[in-house]
Each structure stands twice: as structure tokens, then as C-alpha cells.
Amino acid sequence: MMKKIFTLVFFSSFLISCKCAKTDALSKLDGTWELNYISGPRITFDGLYPNKKPTIKFDTKANQVSGNASCNTYSGKLVVDGNKIDFTQPMAVTKMMCLDGLQGEQTYLSTLQKITSYDVTDDGKTLNFISGDIAMMRFTKK
């Protein structure tokens, strides 16, 4: 009888700790992040975003993602499984006339759709978006 109780307590605590670890890892995403690196374009980062850097905001409790692509805002459903993340779902995007940084905005939104996973540094200050095994975007916590 004691062996069964011990086994039940052990497995219960194991399952609870696993759930807490997943929740804690996901909660590291919460808040607003500002882009400071993007891979691919042959234009300098400051040339792509002369006036305003793109941002991304996560609300993990509501499963929502939103942000500013440097001119227009966007929002959609947050799809996360472990460290896998999916931005291929349709998002609402405003259509303001953008005089500066249009190429930067297009680069940001198209790169976002290629992201397959993410990593938040241990100190919680840097968010990396990864496509396959290549770091494509880097954000700093605001």
C-alpha cells in the first residue's frame, strides 16, 4: 500500500513539475520585444528601419501576438508548442501609407512567416527567432 501511495505521489509531482516548466518557458515570451537584427537583406538594419524598429508583443494567457512592423500594426493568434512557434496563420495588418521603411516592413513580415522556433536567453532579455537551425531575427525585451 505504501509503495502505491509513494508511486502515485512521485508521478503526480513529476507531472505537475513538467507542466510548470512548460508554463514558465512560455511565460518568458510575455511582453513587448524590439527587433535589433534580421537576417537576409543586403541593406543595413538602420537603412531598413530608419524611423521605427519593428516590435512584437506576446500575451500567452490570451494566446495573442501583436506588434508594429515599423509602420503598420499586426495581430493574430499565438501558436506555440514547446519551443516551436508558427506565424503562418493569417494575421490582421493595417494598411497605412508608409513613406519610409516599406522594404523593411515587407522584409520583417515575410521573415516572420519563415520562423519555426524560438529561444529566450537565460537572463530573459533576448529573444531569437529561428528558421530550421538558422537564427533569423533577434529581439530585445522592452
Coordinates of all heavy atoms in Angstrom, one line a residue, residues 29-34 55-58 140-142:
L29 N 8.1 34.5 -22.9 CA 7.7 35.3 -24.1 C 6.9 36.5 -23.8 O 7.0 37.5 -24.6 CB 6.9 34.4 -25.1 CG 7.6 33.4 -26.0 CD1 6.6 32.6 -26.8 CD2 8.6 34.1 -26.9
D30 N 6.1 36.5 -22.7 CA 5.2 37.6 -22.4 C 5.9 39.0 -22.5 O 7.0 39.1 -22.0 CB 4.6 37.4 -21.1 CG 3.3 36.5 -21.1 OD1 2.6 36.6 -22.1 OD2 3.1 35.7 -20.2
G31 N 5.2 39.9 -23.0 CA 5.7 41.3 -23.0 C 6.0 41.8 -24.4 O 5.7 41.1 -25.4
T32 N 6.7 42.9 -24.5 CA 7.0 43.5 -25.8 C 8.5 43.4 -26.0 O 9.3 43.6 -25.2 CB 6.6 45.0 -25.8 OG1 5.2 45.1 -25.5 CG2 6.9 45.7 -27.1
W33 N 8.8 43.1 -27.3 CA 10.2 42.9 -27.7 C 10.4 43.8 -28.9 O 9.6 43.9 -29.8 CB 10.4 41.4 -28.1 CG 10.1 40.4 -27.1 CD1 8.9 39.9 -26.7 CD2 11.1 39.8 -26.2 NE1 9.1 39.0 -25.7 CE2 10.4 38.9 -25.4 CE3 12.5 39.9 -26.1 CZ2 11.1 38.2 -24.4 CZ3 13.2 39.2 -25.1 CH2 12.5 38.3 -24.3
E34 N 11.7 44.3 -29.0 CA 12.0 45.2 -30.2 C 13.1 44.5 -31.0 O 14.1 44.0 -30.5 CB 12.5 46.5 -29.6 CG 12.9 47.5 -30.7 CD 13.3 48.9 -30.2 OE1 14.4 49.0 -29.6 OE2 12.5 49.8 -30.3
T55 N 8.3 45.8 -33.6 CA 8.1 45.2 -32.3 C 7.2 44.0 -32.4 O 6.4 43.9 -33.3 CB 7.5 46.2 -31.3 OG1 6.3 46.7 -31.8 CG2 8.5 47.4 -31.1
I56 N 7.3 43.2 -31.4 CA 6.3 42.1 -31.2 C 5.9 41.9 -29.8 O 6.8 42.1 -28.9 CB 6.9 40.7 -31.8 CG1 5.9 39.7 -31.9 CG2 8.1 40.3 -31.0 CD1 6.2 38.5 -32.8
K57 N 4.7 41.7 -29.5 CA 4.2 41.6 -28.2 C 3.4 40.3 -28.0 O 2.6 40.0 -28.9 CB 3.2 42.8 -27.9 CG 2.6 42.7 -26.5 CD 1.7 43.9 -26.2 CE 1.1 43.8 -24.8 NZ 0.2 44.9 -24.5
F58 N 3.7 39.5 -27.0 CA 3.1 38.3 -26.7 C 2.2 38.4 -25.5 O 2.6 38.9 -24.4 CB 4.2 37.2 -26.4 CG 5.0 36.9 -27.6 CD1 6.2 37.4 -27.8 CD2 4.5 36.0 -28.6 CE1 7.0 37.2 -28.9 CE2 5.3 35.7 -29.7 CZ 6.6 36.3 -29.9
T140 N 15.1 42.4 -28.4 CA 15.5 42.8 -27.0 C 14.2 43.1 -26.3 O 13.3 43.8 -26.8 CB 16.4 44.0 -27.0 OG1 17.6 43.7 -27.9 CG2 16.9 44.3 -25.6
K141 N 14.1 42.7 -25.0 CA 13.0 42.9 -24.2 C 12.9 44.4 -23.9 O 13.9 45.1 -23.6 CB 13.1 42.2 -22.9 CG 11.9 42.2 -22.0 CD 10.9 41.2 -22.5 CE 9.7 41.1 -21.5 NZ 9.3 39.7 -21.3
K142 N 11.7 45.0 -24.1 CA 11.5 46.4 -23.8 C 11.0 46.6 -22.4 O 10.4 45.8 -21.8 CB 10.4 47.0 -24.8 CG 11.1 47.2 -26.2 CD 10.1 47.9 -27.1 CE 10.2 49.4 -26.9 NZ 9.3 50.2 -27.7

